């Protein structure tokens, strides 16, 4: 079973990487980029029958830092 | 206009970060994780009317290293 976990910074948490990318794009001449937020994506291949609870626990324990990050699980 | 750019390593490119995560999950007792690939996601807010060509160019010039990475553009 394929799934992907998207980890993004919570709103209100500063994102210097995103800001740097935004400024770099402006420097390259791309106008109109109003905001950039950088995040992580993990593509997992897990055994069929892995429970939703187990997947949630993987996110909370390892993949995301829930103090500053949100995670979203998408099934492919 | 919101869009997201997903940057992943090409098939065949070694992904030590993904492997480390896979082993860490096994160490935490999560069985059945067969593969993990780590990637990046960029959430962009761009001006309405930004052309597809400009967005592609942002990806090729800055967001992705097309020698070893693929990118995918998703409109929200």
């Amino acid at each position: 079973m394929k799934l992907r976990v998207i980890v993004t910074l919570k709103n209100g948490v500063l994102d210097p990487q995103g800001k740097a990318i935004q400024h770099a794009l402006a420097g390259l001449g791309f106008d109109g980029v109003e905001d950039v937020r950088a995040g992580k994506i993990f593509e997992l291949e897990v055994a069929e029958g892995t429970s939703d609870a187990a997947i949630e626990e993987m996110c909370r324990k390892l993949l995301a830092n829930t103090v500053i990050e949100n995670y979203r699980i998408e099934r492919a």
Side-chain angles (χ1 to χ4, degrees), chain A:
Chain A
M1 183 170 60
K2 272 186 189 297
L3 46 94
R4 55 189 200 176
V5 175
I6 294 172
V7 177
T8 50
L9 286 169
K10 289 187 179 177
N11 283 335
V13 178
L14 287 179
D15 180 4
Q17 188 188 358
K19 280 284 166 248
I21 293 166
Q22 186 184 347
H23 291 139
L25 286 171
L28 287 170
F30 295 106
D31 298 321
V33 179
E34 286 148 23
D35 194 37
V36 180
R37 303 280 287 174
K40 289 170 281 185
I41 184 165
F42 303 105
E43 295 176 327
L44 280 78
E45 174 78 47
V46 299
E48 292 296 327
T50 303
S51 70
D52 287 3
I55 295 164
E56 287 272 337
E57 209 182 337
M58 288 179 206
C59 294
R60 281 198 311 275
K61 280 200 175 165
L62 188 74
L63 301 179
N65 173 358
T66 54
V67 177
I68 56 166
E69 292 171 331
N70 291 319
Y71 61 87
R72 203 161 58 246
I73 297 161
E74 294 181 358
R75 279 159 186 82

